[in-house]
């Protein structure tokens, strides 16, 4: 099978996976069948060891039922044009049709590659999680998106967004100023690099059998729908 690059910003998956099997999706032809591609075991210490924790840890709280059989992981940057496009054109339908019904759960992981405000916004979302509002704040960030490195995700605006989310501003502000979750953001970035990502958004879908499907870029809803339905059979 010829491997075609994604339609939007995305990246190829590293061929160093040790314990999981990747399903490669040709995103330029939505009718192609999925093909299981076993990845070789790598000897030596020059390559990172990829485990399920590389996908699941250093991310957001789970959106949806934690016992859902399928897991969707997004690596994103709050300033990213295509991440914003995915949020507004695709994510709502995934939540409505698969997450709210208990079929799929979702985790968001940071890959802050655009600028310093990307890092600050990522830390702020984790600070919001201290008040059980990660996903609410995540949504507010994308609903206020206004380009890349334009200042919309400045520290001042992040505090305003916290007020919009109904957060305790004093607690939130202390957390943001201290960059309390910088290590989580840094570790998530490293996970993305270990997985071979070079752009955002990047997605991984883990099925009930622990096989993993990689999707590069802000693909349309029907791409996700087809994979979800295949995994849920």
């Amino acid at each position: 099978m010829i491997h075609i690059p994604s339609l939007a910003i995305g990246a190829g998956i590293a061929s160093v996976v040790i314990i999981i099997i990747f399903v490669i999706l040709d995103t330029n032809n939505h009718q192609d069948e999925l093909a299981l591609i076993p990845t070789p075991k790598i000897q030596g210490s020059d390559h990172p060891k990829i485990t399920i924790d590389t996908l699941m840890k250093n991310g957001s709280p789970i959106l949806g039922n934690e016992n859902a059989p399928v897991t969707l992981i997004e690596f994103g940057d709050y300033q990213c044009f295509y991440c914003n496009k995915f949020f507004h054109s695709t994510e709502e339908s995934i939540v409505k049709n698969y997450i709210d019904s208990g079929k799929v759960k979702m985790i968001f992981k940071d890959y802050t590659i655009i600028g310093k405000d990307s890092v600050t916004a990522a830390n702020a979302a984790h600070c919001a999680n201290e008040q059980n509002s990660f996903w609410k704040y995540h949504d507010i960030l994308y609903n206020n998106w206004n380009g890349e490195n334009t200042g919309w995700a400045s520290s001042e605006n992040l505090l305003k967004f916290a007020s919009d989310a109904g957060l305790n501003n004093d607690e939130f502000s202390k957390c943001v100023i201290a960059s309390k979750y910088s290590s989580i953001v840094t570790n998530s970035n490293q996970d993305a690099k270990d997985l071979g990502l070079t752009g955002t958004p990047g997605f991984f879908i883990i099925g009930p059998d622990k096989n993993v499907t990689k999707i590069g870029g802000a693909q349309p809803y029907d791409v996700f729908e087809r994979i979800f339905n295949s995994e849920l059979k």
Side-chain angles (χ1 to χ4, degrees):
M1 180 177 94
I2 299 175
H3 188 186
I4 306 296
S6 75
L7 296 173
I9 295 177
I13 186 66
S15 62
V16 299
V17 181
I18 294 175
I19 66 167
I20 51 181
I21 295 175
F22 279 86
V23 181
I24 307 301
L25 173 63
D26 181 340
T27 54
N28 280 6
N29 186 342
H30 297 167
Q31 300 305 312
D32 284 355
E33 293 295 321
L34 300 178
L36 289 175
I37 309 296
T39 55
K41 293 184 178 180
I42 302 298
Q43 303 298 324
S45 59
D46 293 337
H47 304 281
K49 180 180 180 182
I50 308 302
T51 71
I52 202 71
D53 285 347
T54 312
L55 293 165
M56 299 287 287
K57 286 192 173 182
N58 303 312
S60 72
I62 289 172
L63 179 65
N65 185 339
E66 64 179 15
N67 295 316
V70 174
T71 303
L72 171 64
I73 296 135
E74 176 187 0
F75 281 86
D77 182 318
Y78 290 111
Q79 290 200 94
C80 159
F81 172 87
Y82 285 105
C83 300
N84 184 61
K85 178 180 179 181
F86 167 79
F87 175 78
H88 286 286
S89 65
T90 305
E91 185 173 321
E92 182 178 355
S93 295
I94 291 175
V95 170
K96 177 182 177 181
N97 297 324
Y98 290 95
I99 294 176
D100 288 348
S101 63
K103 299 174 183 177
V104 173
K105 59 182 177 285
M106 183 174 179
I107 295 171
F108 181 90
K109 297 191 61 169
D110 304 300
Y111 194 17
T112 51
I113 59 176
I114 292 176
K116 64 180 182 178
D117 283 352
S118 303
V119 178
T120 309
N123 179 70
H126 291 291
C127 287
N129 188 44
E130 291 188 344
Q131 300 181 51
N132 299 314
S133 296
F134 177 94
W135 286 100
K136 186 175 185 179
Y137 197 83
H138 164 279
D139 293 357
I140 288 173
L141 286 172
Y142 279 126
N143 282 322
N144 283 276
W145 184 89
N146 192 27
E148 299 182 356
N149 294 323
T150 61
W152 70 266
S154 66
S155 296
E156 181 181 357
N157 284 337
L158 295 177
L159 186 59
K160 177 183 179 297
F161 301 154
S163 296
D164 294 342
L167 303 183
N168 181 307
N169 276 356
D170 288 340
E171 293 181 9
F172 178 83
S173 182
K174 289 177 183 177
C175 180
V176 171
I177 291 171
S179 298
K180 187 174 179 180
Y181 294 96
S182 60
S183 62
I184 287 180
V185 176
T186 299
N187 290 339
S188 182
N189 274 268
Q190 187 60 53
D191 291 338
K193 293 173 184 176
D194 289 347
L195 288 162
L197 294 179
T198 58
T200 54
F203 302 89
F204 298 89
I205 298 173
I206 307 174
D209 55 3
K210 304 305 180 186
N211 284 344
V212 180
T213 306
K214 176 257 180 180
I215 301 175
Q219 302 301 326
Y221 171 75
D222 68 305
V223 171
F224 294 88
E225 179 183 45
R226 185 163 65 94
I227 298 171
F228 290 151
N229 290 342
S230 175
E231 293 290 354
L232 291 166
K233 286 181 180 178

